[in-house]
Amino acid sequence: MFDVKEIRKEFPILNRKVNGKDLVYFDNGASTQKNISVIKSLEKYYTNENANVHRGVHFLSGLATDKFEETRSVITDFIGAEHTHEIIFTKGTTDSINLVANGLKKILNPGDEIIISEMEHHSNIVPWQICCEFTGAILKVIPITEDGELNIDEFESLINNKTKLVAITHVSNSLGTINPIKKIIDISHGYGSKVLIDGAQAASHIPIDVRKLNVDYYCFSAHKLYGPTGVGVLYGKEDLLNKLPVYQGGGEMIKDVSFKKTTYANLPHKFEAGTPNIAGVVAFKSAIEFITKVGLENITLHQDNLLKYATSEINKIEGVKIFGVSNNKSSIISFNIQDIHPYDIGLILDKMGVAIRTGHHCTQPLMEKYQIPGTARISMAIYNTMDEIDICINAIKKAKLMLS
């Protein structure tokens, strides 16, 4: 049974007060809170297991290495990958995307094409702009509809045999739109193009099976799955990762070094230069085990119910406009209220103990599309409740009354 009251007990920060009010945390799209098992894993690592990985014959080094690699195995199962060495640890989704973009800088030729979309996070725009500037490749952009959905007809008119990569978000961090990535992957592969999916907003909401999707690269971050900050994952098909040039040079990613020539380690170490965030990786295992125990299907159902109720209540507020009204959405609501700047709404809500996100959400081209400076964004997670939505809605109404 899914019991949100019991789940909330596992997140200590939810007991704190902000400005004298019980914390209501609706900024999960930016980062989720951490449950007690993750916190204890971090503490346990630093108090009982701390050593560098892959580099020592002593007991603690072997223990830390085992713990580190256990997380890689858990992630392999979590996303349905075939091999553990197809899982690369990075600093986050941004770092994962940059790893691929840096490799393609040395592979693409002038006139090759990359396709992204109008709803992408800056992390899935800027690396490809840099890549195109460096190589002479051409960047194309799929437009979105007024409802916040990808225009698939336009996508099919943009893609051709020159397209070498399609890089698309699985779930929009601003709109909540869940994109039809399987269809996009199948269309792209029909033209010989590879596909990278930014799964930062999806991995904690939607079951991922990279083999069923037949996706070439899939990226996500631990801190959006109730895990630590500073840890990310790049999944890549084995043959593609082997073809990509190294990302960074240094320790760990080498096989042999001399002043004449250096040879590189096999996957996954080829892309994991230097000492990683060992404690974060070890604790990430606890986060995934927590999600698995609760069940992604249960999490999705709970968050869908929250989304439905919150959308209904927000729409009752006069002058409100929600951006992103696709029938296929994750638990994100971006909205504005007529003649009120979103920053002012967020500031007043904070005084009432309600944490939301305001601004352009690192999607400035999307804001330009809608001709707005930004939005107020509510993003819901496993520990949020209907009562918290009521508190948030009442706070929005008070803010509207004060600012009108």
Side-chain angles (χ1 to χ4, degrees):
M1 291 290 292
F2 183 92
D3 188 338
V4 68
K5 290 182 180 179
E6 290 300 314
I7 286 170
R8 288 178 64 84
K9 292 178 183 177
E10 299 193 39
F11 291 84
I13 200 170
L14 300 179
N15 295 318
R16 73 158 297 159
K17 292 186 181 294
V18 173
N19 294 318
K21 307 287 186 181
D22 291 336
L23 170 65
V24 175
Y25 187 80
F26 279 135
D27 192 21
N28 298 287
S31 194
T32 53
Q33 298 300 340
K34 317 309 169 193
N35 73 327
I36 195 68
S37 67
V38 171
I39 296 166
K40 286 183 176 179
S41 290
L42 289 167
E43 181 183 25
K44 182 180 178 183
Y45 173 77
Y46 281 122
T47 56
N48 289 291
E49 302 161 356
N50 182 45
N52 215 326
V53 293
H54 304 131
R55 298 180 184 179
V57 296
H58 61 83
F59 172 81
L60 284 180
S61 180
L63 178 62
T65 299
D66 288 345
K67 296 286 185 179
F68 187 86
E69 292 301 328
E70 282 173 13
T71 302
R72 201 187 308 269
S73 295
V74 167
I75 292 170
T76 302
D77 293 337
F78 185 67
I79 65 171
E82 186 173 359
H83 305 294
T84 55
H85 56 258
E86 294 176 317
I87 305 300
I88 310 299
F89 288 123
T90 65
K91 293 181 294 185
T93 305
T94 299
D95 194 34
S96 297
I97 294 170
N98 274 276
L99 189 160
V100 178
N102 181 78
L104 291 182
K105 279 169 60 176
K106 302 170 185 177
I107 295 174
L108 295 180
N109 298 306
D112 288 340
E113 297 178 359
I114 297 172
I115 296 177
I116 59 174
S117 86
E118 209 166 18
M119 68 172 69
E120 299 306 316
H121 189 282
H122 295 166
S123 296
N124 205 29
I125 298 174
V126 179
W128 307 119
Q129 289 176 326
I130 295 171
C131 184
C132 288
E133 289 170 3
F134 186 87
T135 62
I138 298 166
L139 188 66
K140 292 184 173 181
V141 182
I142 308 168
I144 65 168
T145 67
E146 190 64 28
D147 287 347
E149 296 180 331
L150 288 179
N151 189 322
I152 297 298
D153 290 339
E154 287 294 324
F155 169 57
E156 293 190 88
S157 71
L158 289 174
I159 194 167
N160 59 64
N161 291 327
K162 294 181 180 179
T163 308
K164 302 304 177 185
L165 183 78
V166 176
I168 298 291
T169 184
H170 195 161
V171 174
S172 167
N173 73 301
S174 289
L175 305 175
T177 306
I178 302 173
N179 286 320
I181 61 166
K182 178 57 177 169
K183 184 174 183 178
I184 290 167
I185 292 166
D186 290 344
I187 292 170
S188 301
H189 286 170
Y191 287 90
S193 174
K194 307 305 179 188
V195 180
L196 178 144
I197 298 296
D198 171 359
Q201 296 294 332
S204 64
H205 298 273
I206 301 168
I208 307 299
D209 190 317
V210 292
R211 277 186 283 179
K212 286 184 179 178
L213 288 170
N214 195 22
V215 66
D216 301 295
Y217 305 102
Y218 197 97
C219 315
F220 56 97
S221 300
H223 73 99
K224 296 181 192 288
L225 287 107
Y226 313 101
T229 55
V231 176
V233 171
L234 168 65
Y235 159 79
K237 290 180 178 176
E238 179 180 24
D239 61 325
L240 297 178
L241 291 175
N242 279 324
K243 290 176 184 176
L244 278 185
V246 296
Y247 181 39
Q248 295 174 317
E252 191 77 9
M253 49 74 67
I254 55 87
K255 188 175 290 182
D256 290 296
V257 175
S258 72
F259 289 116
K260 291 183 178 180
K261 182 177 177 61
T262 293
T263 56
Y264 306 122
N266 295 327
L267 296 175
H269 308 297
K270 170 184 173 182
F271 294 112
E272 294 180 355
T275 299
N277 182 354
I278 304 169
V281 170
V282 170
F284 189 21
K285 175 174 178 273
S286 296
I288 294 173
E289 288 173 341
F290 166 73
I291 292 171
T292 303
K293 179 182 176 182
V294 176
L296 265 175
E297 296 81 3
N298 293 325
I299 295 171
T300 300
L301 179 61
H302 175 66
Q303 293 175 172
D304 285 350
N305 288 335
L306 293 174
L307 174 66
K308 184 177 179 179
Y309 180 63
T311 302
S312 173
E313 293 302 302
I314 288 175
N315 276 328
K316 293 176 183 177
I317 302 172
E318 186 178 352
V320 73
K321 178 178 174 60
I322 292 177
F323 296 88
V325 293
S326 171
N327 289 326
N328 196 17
K329 275 191 67 170
S330 186
S331 52
I332 292 171
I333 303 173
S334 282
F335 68 97
N336 280 338
I337 300 174
Q338 189 174 10
D339 300 326
I340 300 177
H341 198 282
Y343 176 82
D344 296 329
I345 296 171
L347 199 60
I348 292 176
L349 262 62
D350 178 61
K351 300 299 181 184
M352 302 179 193
V354 180
I356 67 169
R357 178 69 54 160
T358 64
H360 55 63
H361 315 301
C362 294
T363 56
Q364 284 183 289
L366 183 62
M367 299 300 137
E368 291 174 10
K369 160 83 173 183
Y370 287 115
Q371 297 183 331
I372 54 176
T375 68
R377 185 186 72 183
I378 297 170
S379 49
M380 293 156 277
I382 189 173
Y383 38 66
N384 291 126
T385 67
M386 299 293 185
D387 288 342
E388 287 184 317
I389 291 172
D390 289 336
I391 293 169
C392 182
I393 295 299
N394 287 331
I396 293 170
K397 289 177 180 176
K398 289 180 182 179
K400 180 176 181 288
L401 187 64
M402 293 171 64
L403 296 167
S404 296

